[in-house]
Amino acid sequence: MVDLMEHAGANPGRGTYGMAMAASRTVFEARRDCAALLGVKDPRDLFFVSGCTEACNLMLKGLLQPGDRVVVSSMEHNAVTRPLHVLSGRGVRVDFVTADTAGLVDAEAFERAVAEAPTRAIVCQHASNVTGTIQPIGDLADIAHAAGALMLVDGAQGAGHLDVDVAALDVDAYACSGHKALLGPQGIGVLYLRSGLDAMQLVEGGTGASGADEPGQPLDRPERYEAGTPNTPGIAGLGAAARYQSAHGAGIRATERRLTVRLREALSAMDDVVLLGPAPHDESVPVVSFTSPRAEPDRIAFELDRRFGIAVRSGLHCAPWAHRTIGTLDTGALRIGIGHGTTDADIDALLAGLDEVLA
Ligand code: PLP
């Protein structure tokens, strides 16, 4: 990112002078490398957006029309539920399928819901940001396609934490943030849209391409969905992150997995800790949440930060529907995120801190 800003701080896709061409090359390479990481066959089907929130808005508002019906999991983040709320006011019917108390959705329940009425799309997260539960996206995609519906995925907690291959999952859209497990900077994300899907763009404006004879937004990909000057430094950072992930992702995921099992096991053995989500050895992404009758999540988070310098998050994690599903809407939960760079010593420090805070 620094290199780009020092040597290629020009607008990509516009001028043909050296700096602009270098910026364009950075964007081209980042798109190519993000596509390779996520199993996207044609990089032009991957668009740079500001984050998963914008990607979810584009995927939902771009594809759903008044009169459409969507079937949605009850574990979704506000990045999905709030655009759907707006769409429901515009005549889109939104039907929720409730997950179990570990946050896992039941593919058969989706199958039954889809059979009840014509359905335009199933919408589901790849993994929960509250419980770490991994959802059966491949099965849901089969159910959606058998009913002639689309499979739309919020991949904010999938990409990076899981080895994502959108072609193998056979999904129609996959939204993600750059700054979470992909290890990119904030303010950048990507949306994959299957080739040929005619989603309406959210924003119109300059793209650097075909200007004179077209009053409307060009329909070419990726230009259609990338109006205006892009976040080129963010794209450069996400491109570098994608290359790093392609080289080191398997090792990162193995360490995250080992530390997650270790933490879940330790928490489930503690008195007065109610572990949420999957059992210690079940597959999950490295998000671990719990409640305790000894202290409110806010208090635990505050004490861990002030006394031990440990950063964990309390509250509803922008996903009240998920908390309603798992029975923690009133209390929220304490959530620990394990990521690249988390070590056994960090888990030791967390457990020691918790011993004191919950004493
Ligand atoms: N979806 C899920 C499951 C998330 O965890 C998040 C962020 O926490 C989002 C969507 C929104 O991502 P962003 O804040 O990058 O737009």
Coordinates of all heavy atoms in Angstrom, one line a residue, residues 267-334:
L267 N -12.6 -23.4 28.2 CA -13.8 -22.7 28.7 C -14.9 -23.6 29.1 O -15.5 -23.4 30.2 CB -14.3 -21.8 27.6 CG -13.5 -20.5 27.2 CD1 -14.1 -19.8 26.0 CD2 -13.4 -19.6 28.4
S268 N -15.0 -24.7 28.4 CA -16.1 -25.6 28.8 C -15.8 -26.4 30.1 O -16.7 -26.9 30.8 CB -16.4 -26.6 27.7 OG -15.3 -27.4 27.4
A269 N -14.5 -26.4 30.5 CA -14.1 -27.0 31.8 C -14.2 -26.0 32.9 O -14.1 -26.4 34.1 CB -12.7 -27.5 31.7
M270 N -14.5 -24.7 32.6 CA -14.5 -23.7 33.7 C -15.9 -23.6 34.4 O -16.9 -23.7 33.7 CB -14.2 -22.3 33.2 CG -12.7 -22.1 32.9 SD -12.3 -20.6 32.1 CE -12.5 -19.4 33.4
D271 N -15.8 -23.4 35.7 CA -17.1 -23.3 36.4 C -17.8 -22.0 36.0 O -17.1 -21.0 35.7 CB -16.8 -23.1 37.9 CG -16.5 -24.5 38.5 OD1 -16.8 -25.5 37.9 OD2 -15.8 -24.5 39.6
D272 N -19.1 -22.0 35.9 CA -19.8 -20.8 35.6 C -19.5 -20.1 34.3 O -19.5 -18.9 34.1 CB -19.6 -19.8 36.8 CG -20.4 -20.2 38.0 OD1 -21.4 -20.9 37.8 OD2 -20.1 -19.8 39.1
V273 N -19.1 -20.9 33.3 CA -18.9 -20.4 32.0 C -19.9 -21.2 31.1 O -19.9 -22.4 31.1 CB -17.5 -20.6 31.4 CG1 -17.4 -20.4 29.9 CG2 -16.5 -19.6 32.1
V274 N -20.7 -20.5 30.4 CA -21.7 -21.2 29.5 C -21.2 -20.9 28.0 O -21.3 -19.8 27.5 CB -23.1 -20.6 29.6 CG1 -24.1 -21.3 28.7 CG2 -23.6 -20.6 31.1
L275 N -20.5 -22.0 27.5 CA -20.0 -21.9 26.2 C -21.1 -21.9 25.1 O -22.0 -22.7 25.2 CB -19.0 -23.1 25.9 CG -18.2 -23.1 24.7 CD1 -17.3 -21.9 24.6 CD2 -17.5 -24.4 24.6
L276 N -21.1 -21.0 24.2 CA -22.1 -20.9 23.2 C -21.6 -21.5 21.9 O -20.4 -21.6 21.7 CB -22.5 -19.4 22.9 CG -22.9 -18.7 24.2 CD1 -23.0 -17.2 23.9 CD2 -24.3 -19.2 24.6
G277 N -22.5 -21.9 21.0 CA -22.1 -22.4 19.7 C -21.7 -23.8 19.7 O -22.1 -24.6 20.6
P278 N -20.8 -24.2 18.8 CA -20.4 -25.6 18.6 C -19.7 -26.2 19.8 O -19.1 -25.4 20.6 CB -19.4 -25.6 17.4 CG -19.7 -24.3 16.7 CD -20.2 -23.3 17.8
A279 N -19.7 -27.5 20.0 CA -19.0 -28.2 21.0 C -17.5 -28.1 20.7 O -17.1 -27.8 19.6 CB -19.4 -29.6 21.1
P280 N -16.6 -28.2 21.7 CA -15.2 -28.0 21.6 C -14.6 -28.6 20.3 O -13.8 -27.9 19.7 CB -14.6 -28.5 22.8 CG -15.7 -28.3 23.9 CD -17.0 -28.6 23.1
H281 N -14.9 -29.8 20.0 CA -14.2 -30.4 18.9 C -15.0 -30.3 17.5 O -14.5 -30.8 16.5 CB -13.9 -31.9 19.2 CG -12.9 -32.0 20.2 ND1 -11.5 -32.0 19.9 CD2 -12.9 -32.0 21.6 CE1 -10.8 -32.1 21.0 NE2 -11.6 -32.1 22.0
D282 N -16.2 -29.7 17.5 CA -16.9 -29.6 16.3 C -16.2 -28.6 15.4 O -15.5 -27.7 15.9 CB -18.3 -29.0 16.5 CG -19.2 -30.1 17.2 OD1 -18.7 -31.3 17.3 OD2 -20.3 -29.8 17.6
E283 N -16.4 -28.7 14.1 CA -15.8 -27.7 13.1 C -16.4 -26.4 13.4 O -17.6 -26.2 13.7 CB -16.2 -28.1 11.7 CG -15.4 -29.4 11.2 CD -13.9 -29.1 11.1 OE1 -13.5 -28.0 10.7 OE2 -13.2 -30.1 11.3
S284 N -15.6 -25.4 13.3 CA -16.1 -24.0 13.5 C -15.0 -23.0 12.9 O -13.9 -23.4 12.7 CB -16.4 -23.7 15.0 OG -15.1 -23.4 15.6
V285 N -15.4 -21.8 12.8 CA -14.4 -20.8 12.5 C -13.9 -20.3 13.9 O -14.6 -20.5 14.9 CB -14.9 -19.6 11.6 CG1 -15.3 -20.1 10.2 CG2 -16.1 -18.9 12.2
P286 N -12.8 -19.6 14.0 CA -12.2 -19.3 15.3 C -12.9 -18.1 16.0 O -12.2 -17.1 16.3 CB -10.7 -19.0 15.0 CG -10.7 -18.6 13.6 CD -11.9 -19.2 12.9
V287 N -14.1 -18.2 16.2 CA -14.9 -17.2 17.0 C -15.5 -18.0 18.2 O -16.2 -19.0 17.9 CB -16.1 -16.7 16.1 CG1 -17.0 -15.8 16.9 CG2 -15.5 -15.8 14.9
V288 N -15.2 -17.6 19.4 CA -15.6 -18.3 20.6 C -16.4 -17.4 21.5 O -15.8 -16.4 21.9 CB -14.4 -18.9 21.3 CG1 -14.8 -19.7 22.5 CG2 -13.6 -19.8 20.3
S289 N -17.6 -17.7 21.8 CA -18.4 -16.8 22.7 C -18.9 -17.6 23.9 O -19.2 -18.8 23.8 CB -19.6 -16.3 21.9 OG -19.2 -15.5 20.8
F290 N -19.1 -16.8 25.0 CA -19.7 -17.4 26.2 C -20.4 -16.4 27.0 O -20.2 -15.2 26.8 CB -18.6 -18.1 27.0 CG -17.6 -17.2 27.7 CD1 -17.9 -16.7 29.0 CD2 -16.5 -16.8 27.1 CE1 -17.0 -15.9 29.6 CE2 -15.6 -16.0 27.7 CZ -15.8 -15.5 29.0
T291 N -21.2 -16.9 27.9 CA -21.7 -16.0 29.0 C -21.4 -16.6 30.3 O -20.9 -17.8 30.4 CB -23.3 -15.9 28.9 OG1 -23.8 -17.2 29.0 CG2 -23.7 -15.3 27.6
S292 N -21.6 -15.8 31.4 CA -21.3 -16.3 32.7 C -22.2 -15.7 33.7 O -22.5 -14.5 33.6 CB -19.8 -16.0 33.1 OG -19.7 -16.3 34.5
P293 N -22.8 -16.5 34.6 CA -23.6 -15.9 35.6 C -22.9 -15.0 36.6 O -23.4 -14.2 37.4 CB -24.2 -17.1 36.4 CG -23.3 -18.3 36.0 CD -22.7 -18.0 34.7
R294 N -21.5 -15.1 36.6 CA -20.7 -14.3 37.5 C -20.6 -12.9 37.1 O -20.3 -12.0 38.0 CB -19.3 -14.9 37.6 CG -19.2 -16.3 38.0 CD -18.5 -16.4 39.4 NE -18.6 -17.8 39.8 CZ -17.5 -18.5 40.1 NH1 -16.3 -17.9 40.1 NH2 -17.6 -19.7 40.5
A295 N -20.7 -12.6 35.8 CA -20.5 -11.2 35.4 C -21.1 -11.0 34.0 O -21.1 -11.9 33.2 CB -19.0 -10.8 35.4
E296 N -21.5 -9.7 33.8 CA -22.1 -9.3 32.5 C -20.9 -9.4 31.5 O -19.8 -9.0 31.8 CB -22.6 -7.9 32.6 CG -23.7 -7.7 33.5 CD -25.0 -8.1 32.9 OE1 -25.2 -7.8 31.8 OE2 -25.8 -8.7 33.7
P297 N -21.2 -9.7 30.2 CA -20.2 -9.6 29.2 C -19.4 -8.3 29.1 O -18.2 -8.3 29.0 CB -20.9 -9.9 27.9 CG -22.1 -10.7 28.3 CD -22.5 -10.2 29.7
D298 N -20.2 -7.2 29.3 CA -19.5 -5.9 29.2 C -18.5 -5.7 30.3 O -17.4 -5.2 30.1 CB -20.6 -4.7 29.4 CG -21.5 -4.6 28.2 OD1 -21.2 -5.2 27.1 OD2 -22.5 -3.9 28.3
R299 N -18.8 -6.2 31.5 CA -17.9 -6.1 32.6 C -16.7 -7.0 32.4 O -15.5 -6.5 32.6 CB -18.7 -6.5 33.9 CG -17.8 -6.8 35.2 CD -17.0 -5.7 35.6 NE -17.7 -4.4 35.9 CZ -17.1 -3.3 36.2 NH1 -15.8 -3.2 36.4 NH2 -17.9 -2.2 36.4
I300 N -16.9 -8.2 31.9 CA -15.7 -9.0 31.6 C -14.8 -8.4 30.6 O -13.6 -8.4 30.7 CB -16.2 -10.4 31.1 CG1 -17.2 -11.1 32.1 CG2 -15.0 -11.4 30.9 CD1 -17.8 -12.4 31.6
A301 N -15.4 -7.9 29.5 CA -14.6 -7.3 28.4 C -13.8 -6.1 29.0 O -12.6 -5.9 28.7 CB -15.5 -6.8 27.3
F302 N -14.5 -5.3 29.8 CA -13.9 -4.1 30.4 C -12.7 -4.5 31.2 O -11.6 -3.9 31.1 CB -14.9 -3.3 31.2 CG -14.4 -2.1 31.9 CD1 -14.3 -0.9 31.2 CD2 -14.0 -2.1 33.2 CE1 -13.8 0.2 31.8 CE2 -13.6 -1.0 33.8 CZ -13.4 0.2 33.1
E303 N -12.9 -5.5 32.1 CA -11.8 -5.9 33.0 C -10.7 -6.5 32.3 O -9.5 -6.2 32.6 CB -12.4 -6.9 34.0 CG -13.5 -6.4 34.9 CD -13.0 -5.7 36.1 OE1 -11.8 -5.8 36.5 OE2 -13.8 -4.9 36.7
L304 N -11.0 -7.3 31.3 CA -9.9 -7.9 30.5 C -9.0 -6.9 29.8 O -7.8 -7.0 29.8 CB -10.4 -8.9 29.5 CG -11.0 -10.3 30.0 CD1 -11.6 -11.1 28.9 CD2 -9.8 -11.1 30.7
D305 N -9.7 -5.9 29.3 CA -8.9 -4.8 28.6 C -8.1 -4.0 29.6 O -6.9 -3.8 29.5 CB -9.9 -3.9 27.9 CG -9.3 -2.7 27.2 OD1 -8.2 -2.9 26.6 OD2 -9.8 -1.6 27.3
R306 N -8.8 -3.4 30.7 CA -8.1 -2.5 31.6 C -7.1 -3.2 32.4 O -6.0 -2.6 32.6 CB -9.1 -1.8 32.5 CG -10.1 -1.0 31.8 CD -9.4 0.1 30.9 NE -10.2 0.4 29.7 CZ -11.1 1.4 29.6 NH1 -11.2 2.3 30.6 NH2 -11.8 1.6 28.5
R307 N -7.3 -4.4 32.9 CA -6.4 -5.0 33.8 C -5.3 -5.8 33.1 O -4.2 -6.0 33.5 CB -7.1 -5.9 34.8 CG -7.9 -5.1 35.8 CD -8.9 -5.9 36.6 NE -8.3 -7.0 37.4 CZ -8.9 -7.9 38.0 NH1 -10.3 -7.9 37.9 NH2 -8.3 -8.8 38.7
F308 N -5.7 -6.4 31.9 CA -4.8 -7.3 31.2 C -4.4 -7.0 29.8 O -3.7 -7.7 29.2 CB -5.4 -8.8 31.3 CG -5.7 -9.2 32.7 CD1 -7.0 -9.2 33.1 CD2 -4.7 -9.6 33.6 CE1 -7.4 -9.6 34.4 CE2 -5.1 -10.0 34.8 CZ -6.4 -10.0 35.3
G309 N -5.0 -5.9 29.3 CA -4.7 -5.5 27.9 C -5.2 -6.5 26.9 O -4.6 -6.7 25.8
I310 N -6.3 -7.2 27.2 CA -6.8 -8.2 26.3 C -8.1 -7.7 25.6 O -9.0 -7.2 26.3 CB -7.1 -9.5 27.0 CG1 -5.8 -10.1 27.6 CG2 -7.8 -10.5 26.1 CD1 -6.1 -11.3 28.6
A311 N -8.1 -7.7 24.3 CA -9.2 -7.1 23.5 C -10.1 -8.2 23.1 O -9.8 -9.0 22.3 CB -8.6 -6.4 22.2
V312 N -11.3 -8.1 23.7 CA -12.4 -9.0 23.3 C -13.7 -8.2 23.2 O -13.7 -7.1 23.8 CB -12.6 -10.2 24.3 CG1 -11.5 -11.1 24.3 CG2 -12.9 -9.6 25.7
R313 N -14.7 -8.7 22.6 CA -15.9 -7.8 22.4 C -17.1 -8.4 23.1 O -17.3 -9.6 23.1 CB -16.2 -7.7 20.9 CG -17.3 -6.7 20.6 CD -17.4 -6.4 19.1 NE -18.8 -5.9 18.9 CZ -19.3 -5.8 17.7 NH1 -18.6 -6.1 16.6 NH2 -20.5 -5.3 17.5
S314 N -17.9 -7.5 23.7 CA -19.1 -7.9 24.3 C -20.3 -7.3 23.5 O -20.1 -6.5 22.7 CB -19.1 -7.4 25.8 OG -19.0 -6.0 25.7
G315 N -21.5 -7.8 23.9 CA -22.7 -7.2 23.3 C -23.3 -8.1 22.3 O -23.3 -9.4 22.4
L316 N -24.0 -7.5 21.3 CA -24.8 -8.3 20.3 C -24.1 -8.5 19.0 O -24.6 -9.2 18.1 CB -26.1 -7.7 20.1 CG -27.1 -7.6 21.3 CD1 -28.4 -6.9 21.0 CD2 -27.4 -9.0 21.9
H317 N -22.9 -7.9 18.8 CA -22.1 -8.2 17.7 C -22.8 -7.9 16.3 O -22.6 -8.7 15.4 CB -21.5 -9.6 17.7 CG -21.0 -10.0 19.1 ND1 -21.7 -10.7 19.9 CD2 -19.8 -9.7 19.7 CE1 -21.0 -10.8 21.1 NE2 -19.9 -10.2 20.9
C318 N -23.6 -6.9 16.4 CA -24.4 -6.5 15.2 C -25.3 -7.7 14.6 O -25.6 -7.7 13.4 CB -23.5 -6.0 14.0 SG -22.5 -4.6 14.5
A319 N -25.6 -8.6 15.5 CA -26.4 -9.7 15.0 C -27.5 -10.1 16.0 O -27.5 -11.2 16.6 CB -25.5 -10.9 14.7
P320 N -28.5 -9.2 16.3 CA -29.5 -9.5 17.3 C -30.3 -10.8 17.0 O -30.7 -11.5 17.9 CB -30.4 -8.3 17.3 CG -30.0 -7.5 16.1 CD -28.6 -7.9 15.7
W321 N -30.5 -11.0 15.7 CA -31.2 -12.2 15.3 C -30.5 -13.5 15.7 O -31.1 -14.5 16.2 CB -31.5 -12.3 13.8 CG -32.7 -11.5 13.4 CD1 -32.7 -10.2 13.0 CD2 -34.0 -11.9 13.4 NE1 -34.0 -9.8 12.8 CE2 -34.8 -10.9 13.0 CE3 -34.6 -13.2 13.7 CZ2 -36.2 -11.0 12.9 CZ3 -36.0 -13.3 13.6 CH2 -36.8 -12.2 13.2
A322 N -29.2 -13.5 15.6 CA -28.4 -14.6 16.0 C -28.5 -14.8 17.6 O -28.7 -16.0 18.0 CB -26.9 -14.4 15.6
H323 N -28.5 -13.7 18.3 CA -28.6 -13.8 19.8 C -30.0 -14.3 20.2 O -30.2 -15.1 21.1 CB -28.2 -12.5 20.4 CG -26.7 -12.3 20.5 ND1 -25.9 -12.9 21.4 CD2 -25.9 -11.6 19.7 CE1 -24.7 -12.6 21.2 NE2 -24.6 -11.8 20.2
R324 N -31.0 -13.8 19.4 CA -32.4 -14.3 19.7 C -32.4 -15.8 19.5 O -33.0 -16.6 20.3 CB -33.4 -13.6 18.8 CG -34.8 -13.9 19.1 CD -35.8 -13.1 18.3 NE -35.8 -11.7 18.7 CZ -35.5 -10.6 17.9 NH1 -35.1 -10.8 16.7 NH2 -35.5 -9.4 18.4
T325 N -31.8 -16.3 18.4 CA -31.8 -17.7 18.1 C -31.1 -18.6 19.2 O -31.6 -19.6 19.5 CB -31.0 -17.9 16.7 OG1 -31.6 -17.1 15.7 CG2 -31.0 -19.4 16.3
I326 N -30.0 -18.1 19.7 CA -29.3 -18.9 20.7 C -29.6 -18.6 22.1 O -29.1 -19.2 23.1 CB -27.8 -18.9 20.5 CG1 -27.2 -17.4 20.7 CG2 -27.4 -19.3 19.1 CD1 -25.7 -17.4 20.7
G327 N -30.6 -17.7 22.3 CA -31.1 -17.4 23.6 C -30.3 -16.4 24.4 O -30.4 -16.4 25.7
T328 N -29.5 -15.5 23.8 CA -28.7 -14.5 24.5 C -29.1 -13.1 24.1 O -28.3 -12.2 24.3 CB -27.2 -14.8 24.2 OG1 -27.0 -14.9 22.8 CG2 -26.7 -16.0 25.0
L329 N -30.3 -12.9 23.7 CA -30.7 -11.5 23.2 C -30.6 -10.5 24.4 O -30.2 -9.4 24.3 CB -32.1 -11.5 22.6 CG -32.5 -10.2 22.0 CD1 -31.6 -9.8 20.8 CD2 -33.9 -10.3 21.5
D330 N -31.0 -11.0 25.6 CA -31.0 -10.1 26.7 C -29.7 -9.8 27.3 O -29.4 -8.7 27.8 CB -31.9 -10.7 27.9 CG -33.3 -10.8 27.4 OD1 -33.7 -10.1 26.5 OD2 -34.1 -11.6 28.0
T331 N -28.8 -10.7 27.2 CA -27.4 -10.6 27.9 C -26.4 -10.2 26.9 O -25.3 -9.6 27.2 CB -27.0 -11.9 28.5 OG1 -27.0 -12.9 27.5 CG2 -27.9 -12.2 29.7
G332 N -26.5 -10.6 25.6 CA -25.4 -10.5 24.7 C -24.4 -11.6 25.1 O -24.7 -12.5 25.9
A333 N -23.2 -11.5 24.6 CA -22.2 -12.5 24.9 C -20.8 -11.9 24.9 O -20.6 -10.8 24.4 CB -22.2 -13.7 23.9
L334 N -19.9 -12.6 25.4 CA -18.4 -12.2 25.4 C -17.8 -13.0 24.2 O -17.9 -14.2 24.2 CB -17.8 -12.5 26.7 CG -16.4 -11.9 27.1 CD1 -15.3 -12.6 26.4 CD2 -16.4 -10.4 26.9

